[in-house]
Amino acid sequence: GGGAAEVPKLIAFVSKQTGLSQADVVAALQKNFPHTLALLQAIPLSSVSAEIPPLLKFLEGALHVTEPQLLDALSQNFPHLTQAVTNLPAVTAAWDDTKITGTRFDGKPIKTVPDVQAYFSSDVIPVLETRRDNYWNLVSTSNINFIGPLVLIIGIIVILYGLLMLYLAWGLDSRRPRATARPAADAV
């Protein structure tokens, strides 16, 4: 998604701001933040995801086990690594094919997560920023606070009317004569 191109820029930026050489920045990251550095070096994750099936095949052959046996052994001994290995392909596949249908304001299709990010940052947000005055104008001139209490009052009236109808129907039912039991016909 473009992150791979930004890692060297990030290291150069930190180098410039701290006065350290880029090699010293990488060494400091390795010492203080090894997991973060490993993640930055693994970008793009779609490349890591593409390596997972061959890695699993290699381990199956080297260990003489089937894939389910391998995954079971990995999950018992390395649960976090197994979780990453099994879930990363789904994440990277969804990254490159979002199942979102739509187009940007310039007509370009939206197919990937970076496309969605570009749509919001380049199309939607700038439009909303230019329309901010319209929003504040609407909020300051429109007073719709009465709708909540109005709906509450109407609801209470409807409930009271329903209870009145129930009471009246019950009263009518109690005044109606009950059918008396007919004597059984004498047997012939």
Side-chain angles (χ1 to χ4, degrees):
E6 293 180 356
V7 173
K9 293 178 186 176
L10 174 66
I11 292 172
F13 174 77
V14 172
S15 173
K16 182 179 177 184
Q17 295 299 315
T18 60
L20 297 171
S21 70
Q22 290 187 17
D24 289 340
V25 170
V26 172
L29 287 171
Q30 179 62 43
K31 179 182 178 194
N32 299 305
F33 310 103
H35 301 295
T36 303
L37 179 63
L39 180 63
L40 291 174
Q41 291 173 333
I43 294 175
L45 294 178
S46 55
S47 298
V48 176
S49 185
E51 291 179 357
I52 291 174
L55 172 64
L56 293 177
K57 289 292 181 202
F58 171 77
L59 291 174
E60 288 172 29
L63 300 174
H64 307 292
V65 294
T66 64
E67 184 175 345
Q69 292 170 328
L70 175 64
L71 291 176
D72 185 48
L74 289 174
S75 66
Q76 289 178 12
N77 296 298
F78 311 100
H80 300 294
L81 182 60
T82 304
Q83 184 179 13
V85 165
T86 56
N87 292 323
L88 187 60
V91 171
T92 58
W95 187 268
D96 293 328
D97 184 14
T98 61
K99 308 288 188 250
I100 294 175
T101 57
T103 57
R104 294 188 48 194
F105 290 174
D106 60 5
K108 294 178 185 172
I110 299 172
K111 295 181 181 178
T112 66
V113 172
D115 292 342
V116 173
Q117 188 269 339
Y119 169 70
F120 281 106
S121 67
S122 300
D123 295 350
V124 176
I125 301 301
V127 169
L128 294 177
E129 287 174 344
T130 61
R131 303 291 189 250
R132 177 179 271 176
D133 292 339
N134 294 346
Y135 170 77
W136 288 115
N137 185 33
L138 176 66
V139 171
S140 65
T141 59
S142 175
N143 189 1
I144 60 172
N145 315 12
F146 68 92
I147 291 179
L150 177 65
V151 170
L152 177 65
I153 291 169
I154 291 172
I156 290 171
I157 291 171
V158 168
I159 290 171
L160 290 175
Y161 180 75
L163 291 173
L164 176 65
M165 292 296 109
L166 184 65
Y167 174 75
L168 292 175
W170 179 69
L172 288 176
D173 189 48
S174 64
R175 287 188 222 133
R176 185 182 312 159
R178 302 273 179 204
T180 57
R182 294 185 185 160
D186 293 330
V188 179

